[in-house]
Amino acid sequence: MQRLAFLKLAGALRRLALADHNVVPGAPPRHEAIGTGLAIVIPERGTPELLAECLASLRVALLPVDEPRQIVVHVNGAPRRRYTALRMQFPEVQWLFTRRGLGFSAAVRRALRAVHQPWVYLLNSDMRVEAGALRELLAWRAPFVFALASQIFFVDQTRRREETGWTDIRVSDDHVDVVDVVPEDDCVRGNVYAGGGSSLFQSAILRQYIEQGRGYDPFYFEDVEWGLRAWRDGRLVLFCPRSRVHHHHRATVNRYYTHREVDRIVDRNLWLLRLRLLPLPRDSSDLPGDLRRVRRQLSKLPWRTLCELMFTSRLRDAARQRRRVAAAPYGLDLIRTARLHRFVEPFATGPERQCAIVATPFLPYPTRHGGAVRTAALVNQLARRFRVVVLSDEATTLMPLTVDALEGAAALFVVSGRVDDPGAQGRLARAHTHTHPLLRQAFELLRTTFQPRIVQVEHVELAPLVTQRKRNEAWALDLHDVTLGVDDDEQANRAERAWLRLYDVAVVCSREDSALLSDAGPQVLEAGNGIDLRAFTYTPSRERNAVLFLGPFRYAPNRIAIERFVREVWPAVLAAIPSAELWILGGDDAPTITRSLPAFAQAGVRVHGHEPQPRAFLDRCALTINPQRAIRGSSLKVIESLAAGRVCVSTEDGARGFVQDDFPGLVVVDDVPDMARPVIELLRDADRRLHAEPPVSGLLARYAWPTVGDNLLATYDRVIAASVAPTTKDTP
């Protein structure tokens, strides 16, 4: 029997590894409107005292729910007579009784036949629901949302929070870990799966998934499969931390199963999840090395577990499920960052607004550099008219965020998958590296979900995303820097021109950049780097002697510029004014980068990492500098300096976008060495500096973000009204 089992195992693994081979992914789903109406399903087995507490809390939680509802309790494996008092106490409940014990999945399947509402909240009988728990979930329902999970607390508060409702999955060659994560705030988040003990589901889709996942009986991991399938089918699974429940952990399971048996079933079903949904090595002949390793691991399972896998329909069903999942439109990799997504604005509340998707190759929140400031500010302006969903490709650098930090964004989607190839050179290679398949897949998911009327793409690196454009969408490319014609790479120039022709609008930061696109194809809108005028209060510099450079080193022109300044200019400044200081706010890596460079060891040079309050440095310095050369776009540091009332000494390239306004506080020189004389004179002559530095409100007004936003929104209104699918097909 044992030899037969191992032979069957080898054959089964070969079939499983080939089950999803050459299956063509299907089209994304069409999300049909879904009505209101709530059912609560409670599978119950022999814990009437806990069920009484559960139903009492549920009765309170349903008070603010003003829509059709039903409560279905399915008692299985327990005598009917034990529930006589409860049936009298809770007449609003629909009671189902099954004589034998069914386990979680079978009990829910049976109860779902009695549900006639479009949404169903699965609730364990050993849960206590807080008063506002259901109301919080219902606000986030939408046709594209499959499930919404409540936050779970243990009734025994001394226990470690191993169950929270916010979930993650980690898959490697040898292991699959399904874990719960403790939330750090109350923001609604993406969720790998919604637990079957305290979550809201679309009834029709749940019926489909639960019927196709019978192999997990009696309990555990069927809900993980539901979540993975939902994401791959193009439906969202969310975690709502403000919806709170309290759990008597394993109060039912431990009455009928030993701890050892529970652990065995958990281990079996974790393997079943892997065999049904997760990647396996492929080989059409004998077992390859990786698959042999899987077989060795399976062969170490208890004999009973191996028999339950080999001599039942579980592995046959696993192959069928692998083929079904392989035909889903979205891949498993899209799920790996699910819990990083943030949702700020409920789908079911507020005025109906059209959607805008903003796709950016970096994470704009929190705003730690000039490009992030610009992107976040434009999102905030778009939010005056649109529900803005931000798609970012920088999951590896995600930092703790508060909801307030998201400013106007209604949702933030974060993906990974970008592989920076050191051997890939040039603009074209960079564009293809950034516009990678996983980002494209995530964009397609968002488009299908939110149906945007305007898509705003940040930076030329993501310009190829426009090749996915569809009819009735308007597209805008926000070029922080215009790179067209920046070098003699004709292949890259042809590609950029082809992409530009597919856009309705190219948004640029300066008049100089606008001129570079005069014959590129799309309408060109100049929307310069702006400022929030309310954030600046002028304080005269008086006797101060510090020179400030604001420029994160992650943007190479900043690092190159300040290195040249400290080598070629700072020695002359020190010789003239020994007490002068140079403050460099270079971002996270700046102290490490400059530690080994002798020029930065000069007297007075102070290199700072990331500073959350850079405006405090503006208030304390005497003047600012911008020694950048050979850049496009415009520098946020220049307009912020002028708004703060600090003279800025800049190269001509560094002052792009602002020279035409004749700001008294902007001193422009030809090259970096030419900066020495005005810096020294302004440090020595405080009266001259104080005369030039007061902010000129009339000149600054055109750079206020609301003014920039007015122009942007007016342009978008026009292109949305005229939007049609592009006819140019010569994309690279």
Side-chain angles (χ1 to χ4, degrees), residues 628-684:
Q628 290 177 324
R629 293 296 312 275
I631 64 167
R632 300 284 180 97
S634 67
S635 292
L636 183 67
K637 61 178 71 67
V638 173
I639 193 63
E640 286 190 340
S641 176
L642 298 172
R646 290 297 177 266
V647 174
C648 180
V649 179
S650 174
T651 59
E652 188 171 359
D653 286 348
R656 284 171 62 96
F658 307 110
V659 176
Q660 68 272 9
D661 286 320
D662 295 324
F663 283 98
L666 182 58
V667 178
V668 181
V669 298
D670 291 335
D671 203 354
V672 176
D674 301 324
M675 299 177 75
R677 185 173 62 82
V679 168
I680 292 170
E681 290 178 353
L682 288 164
L683 288 176
R684 280 177 168 170

Side-chain angles (χ1 to χ4, degrees), residues 12-31:
L13 286 175
R14 275 195 295 270
R15 289 191 296 273
L16 285 171
L18 293 169
D20 53 0
H21 192 47
N22 292 330
V23 178
V24 178
R30 295 186 63 181
H31 300 296

Side-chain angles (χ1 to χ4, degrees), residues 19 68 88 110 117 154 227 243 255 284 293 299 314 317 352 361 393 407 427 466 480 531-532 559 602 613 657 681 726:
M88 296 178 63
R110 169 70 179 85
Q117 301 297 342
F154 287 140
S243 173
R255 294 186 180 210
S284 58
R293 187 173 67 249
S299 66
R314 283 186 171 91
D317 290 344
E352 189 64 31
D393 174 26
E407 300 185 53
R427 289 180 282 140
V466 74
H480 295 230
I531 45 174
D532 180 359
R559 177 180 52 78
Q602 296 178 76
Q613 299 295 335
E681 290 178 353

